[in-house]
Each structure stands twice: as structure tokens, then as C-alpha cells.
């Protein structure tokens, strides 16, 4: 498999890794080329790198660089896949705990990218006729905290929220405008009790306490993972979201003794239609080595308390972090183990680890982190137990050039058409 060059970056004594994995539907976009984005995270000037995706075979080509107007941060180890996020071109229709989504190309298309070195957030508009040259809207806005690591966007609320990973950790939200970009929605919302009380030594490099941030499918609540330093329970914070996009305080905190390294948050499908995301089911990964690899969680409303429904043991896991999941394509979740050349395939309904998958055509993109040979691996799943290699896009050998601290991964458009 093409993952044999994969190298992880670990926190000493903690086991948090970086890297990204995305699933991508086989169905070609009917009107426009698709584009993959990631950040070079350069402290001297952060840039968004765009790659064209071939609609027939999923391969990558034609890199383009665009300045974010901010700065990256060297030495980050708890890197978020959601450091760059693309908005969905969908209208949302909700009933009870389920959300219907219908594609609508008339909606504005955006990219959001964090600048961890300058503590700012950038917002771009996407021209569907030229998605590789996004336009920066306004100026990057301060996130009002230290070391932003992850961003979530709700097209329903027209609101973007950023997880600041420094101590003390917190969340800042922004309203969005297709002409002026970002406007802060109030002050930094601090997460209570998030200073490290762990006796183990702190990790090297910038301190990062938060990992992932996401809205539930109905955009009525915002969820954020907070990891311990290894000996204490991990946590998930949940905020109620007001109609104007602001967050209701205080947040609800749920702790998980078996999940010290709570990392990637992924809402799952549930109910009579398995293609619809549910507000009350989550898959969370646990990034600490030789621990429970992941867990299925249940969110209770209106309290927003979260309980473990089932632990997902992944034997020999070295650092499970990011997940590729799209119920419109498959009922399986693809869990990347950043500590070894493994992508675990998990039944999202039962939590059972599966070795054999049979689905009708899908691409998976994995951004690896070997400083001597960085690349994006492209795989296709077409039945059988293995991921079939399609391409190894060499970032240094291509026209991309030098990439100091690459991070994040997103695809536009990210909806089936």
C-alpha cells in the first residue's frame, strides 16, 4: 500500500499525531471541476494550496498557491484536519433530530482557514468556474485566543466558529458576509476547567488543548473535543447555539475516563433513512497509543450530556485521529491510524471493526507527514479487503514546491450533485 512512507509526529508521552484523511464520492460533479485544499502552515506567510481533482479517476494535478493573509505556526503536533473547511452548497430542512439536505448551487461558496501563528481566521469566496483561485474576503480576523486549530461553519446560521487550542482554551464565533467576510459575534467563550492539572510533563512545542470543533447537523449545538495530557479523562464541550449564531453559556461538559485523547468528532447517520445525519449519534476517536481506539457516543437533548454507547477497540492502534465518513456513500467510517500504515474500517452502526468492505466506488485522500517525502495518497475502494492505490502525489516533486508545515484537508464541492 502507498502508506509505507507515512511518518507520524507524536507528543512525547502523549501519542497525538497529525495527518488527514477524506472520503470522496465517486460521482463526478455535473458542472464544475472538483478541488482539494490544504495549508502549508508557513510561519513566514500561510498559503492555501489548491489541487485539481480529475472527475474520472480521482487523481490530483495543477497546484495553485493563494495567500491566507496570516501566518502559520511551526512545531504544531495536534494538527486538525478541520484547519481548512469548505462550506456546503446545501439548504437544510430539519424535523425532530434529523436533517435533510438539498444541493443549491445558488448559495455562496466559502473556504475558511486558520492561521495558527497570527491567531487569525481567513475567509475566501469560491468562484465555481475557477475554484483553484479563491478570493480573500476582507482581512483575516483575530480569533481572540491563542493557537486556533480548528474551524466549523454552519450555512444555516451563516456562522463560523473557531477552537482556540492555547491555554486557556476557548471558542470564538463570526458572522459571515459574501462581500465583507468575517465579523466577530461577541468575545472569546472560555472553556471552564481546561487548564492542565495533569502531573505528566507538558508536550514540546506550542501547547494545544483542543482538537476538533463541529456543529450538529441541525446547527442547534456546537461540540468541541478537549484532550487531557494522558492521565485524566478526555472531554467534549457542548454549547447551545442561539438563533443569531451566538453561543449560550455555560457549555455542558461530558468526561470520558476511557478516552483521554478525545480527538475527531463525527456525527453519524441514524433512523429509518441511513443517508441522513442524526443529531444524537457521534463517533469520536481517541488518539492516545494503546488505548481504546474510538467510541460510539449518544447525545442527550436538551441537556447536551454525552454518554458512551459502545467502545470501539482497534487492536494495536498507535494514534487514531481523523475519520472519513459520508453516509451517502457508505455505512462505514474510515479511521486513520497516524502511527502506522493502517486505515481501520468501522461499521458506523455497530462499531464493529470490519475487514471486508463492498461499496460502489469511492476515493480516499490521505495527506501524509513524512518531512523527507510528503505526499497525498489517493486510494479507490471497489470491493475486497484492501484499499487500491491510484496515485501518490509527490508534493516536493510537483510544482507545489517547499511546504514547511502542511496541515488540513478539504474538498470542494463536498456534496453529491
Amino acid at each position: 500500500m502507498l502508506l509505507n512512507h507515512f511518518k507520524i509526529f507524536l507528543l512525547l508521552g502523549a501519542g497525538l499525531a497529525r495527518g488527514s484523511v477524506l472520503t470522496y464520492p465517486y460521482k463526478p460533479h455535473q458542472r464544475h471541476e472538483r478541488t482539494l485544499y490544504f495549508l502549508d502552515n508557513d510561519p513566514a506567510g500561510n498559503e492555501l494550496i489548491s489541487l485539481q481533482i480529475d472527475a474520472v479517476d480521482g487523481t490530483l494535478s495543477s497546484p495553485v498557491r493563494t495567500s491566507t493573509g496570516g501566518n502559520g505556526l511551526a512545531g504544531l503536533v495536534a494538527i486538525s484536519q478541520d484547519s481548512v473547511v469548505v462550506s456546503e452548497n446545501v439548504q437544510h430542512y430539519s424535523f425532530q433530530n434529523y436533517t435533510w439536505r438539498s444541493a443549491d448551487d445558488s448559495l455562496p461558496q466559502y473556504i475558511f482557514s486558520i492561521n495558527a501563528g497570527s491567531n487569525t481566521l481567513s475567509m475566501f469566496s469560491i468562484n465555481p468556474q475557477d475554484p483553484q483561485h479563491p478570493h480573500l474576503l476582507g482581512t483575516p480576523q483575530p480569533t481572540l485566543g491563542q493557537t486556533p486549530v480548528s474551524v466549523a461553519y454552519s450555512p444555516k446560521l451563516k456562522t463560523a466558529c473557531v477552537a482556540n487550542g492555547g491555554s486557556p482554551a476557548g471558542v470564538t464565533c463570526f458572522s459571515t458576509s459574501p462581500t465583507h467576510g468575517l465579523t466577530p459575534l461577541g468575545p472569546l467563550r472560555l472553556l471552564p476547567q481546561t487548564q492542565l492539572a495533569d502531573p505528566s510533563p507538558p508536550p514540546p512545542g506550542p501547547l494545544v488543548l483542543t482538537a476538533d470543533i463541529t456543529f450538529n447537523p441541525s446547527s442547534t449545538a456546537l461540540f468541541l473535543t478537549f484532550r487531557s495530557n494522558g492521565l485524566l479523562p478526555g472531554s467534549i464541550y457542548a454549547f447551545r447555539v442561539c438563533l443569531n449564531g451566538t453561543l449560550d453559556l455555560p457549555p455542558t461538559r461530558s468526561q470520558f475516563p476511557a478516552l483521554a485523547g478525545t480527538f475527531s468528532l463525527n456525527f453519524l447517520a441514524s433512523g429509518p433513512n441511513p443517508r441522513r445525519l442524526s443529531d444524537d449519534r457521534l463517533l469520536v476517536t481517541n488518539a492516545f497509543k494503546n488505548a481504546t481506539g474510538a467510541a460510539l457516543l449518544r447525545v442527550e437533548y436538551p441537556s447536551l450530556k454525552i454518554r458512551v454507547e459502545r467502545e470501539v477497540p482497534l487492536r494495536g492502534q498507535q494514534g487514531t485521529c481523523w475519520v472519513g465518513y459520508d453516509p451517502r456513500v457508505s455505512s462505514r467510517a474510515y479511521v486513520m491510524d497516524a502511527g502506522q500504515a493502517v486505515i481501520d474500517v468501522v461499521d458506523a452502526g455497530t462499531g464493529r471493526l470490519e475487514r471486508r468492505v463492498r461499496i460502489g466506488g469511492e476515493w480516499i485522500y490521505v495527506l501524509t507527514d513524512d518531512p523527507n517525502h510528503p505526499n497525498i495518497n489517493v486510494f479507490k475502494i471497489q470491493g475486497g479487503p484492501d484499499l487500491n492505490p491510484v496515485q501518490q502525489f509527490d508534493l516536493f516533486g510537483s510544482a507545489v514546491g517547499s511546504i514547511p508545515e502542511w496541515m488540513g484537508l478539504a474538498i470542494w464541492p463536498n456534496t453529491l450533485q
Side-chain angles (χ1 to χ4, degrees), residues 128-140:
Q129 305 302 326
D130 187 16
Q132 286 192 267
H133 294 86
H135 174 66
L136 182 64
L137 295 173
T139 58

Side-chain angles (χ1 to χ4, degrees), residues 56-206:
V56 175
D57 61 16
T59 55
L60 304 172
S61 63
S62 307
V64 175
R65 287 177 174 266
T66 302
S67 173
T68 68
N71 302 99
L73 181 63
L76 280 176
V77 284
I79 297 297
S80 172
Q81 177 168 303
D82 293 329
S83 55
V84 54
V85 167
V86 172
S87 65
E88 293 183 311
N89 57 330
V90 294
Q91 293 283 10
H92 288 71
Y93 307 93
S94 298
F95 177 72
Q96 295 180 349
N97 284 343
Y98 302 101
T99 299
W100 287 256
R101 306 188 299 176
S102 177
D104 185 349
D105 276 355
S106 67
L107 294 176
Q109 301 290 283
Y110 303 126
I111 305 171
F112 300 90
S113 64
I114 62 100
N115 303 298
S118 52
N119 299 319
T120 57
L121 176 68
S122 299
M123 177 180 174
F124 299 84
S125 62
I126 301 174
N127 179 354
Q129 305 302 326
D130 187 16
Q132 286 192 267
H133 294 86
H135 174 66
L136 182 64
L137 295 173
T139 58
Q141 291 298 299
T143 63
L144 309 181
Q146 298 295 314
T147 320
V149 292
S150 187
V151 57
Y153 177 67
S154 167
K156 177 181 177 181
L157 300 171
K158 299 180 176 60
T159 298
C161 293
V162 176
N164 291 280
S167 183
V171 179
T172 304
C173 294
F174 302 83
S175 63
T176 61
S177 163
T179 55
H180 301 98
L182 300 162
T183 301
L185 286 171
L188 173 71
R189 269 67 171 180
L190 294 176
L191 302 181
Q193 304 173 17
T194 55
Q195 287 73 21
L196 284 178
D198 196 317
S200 58

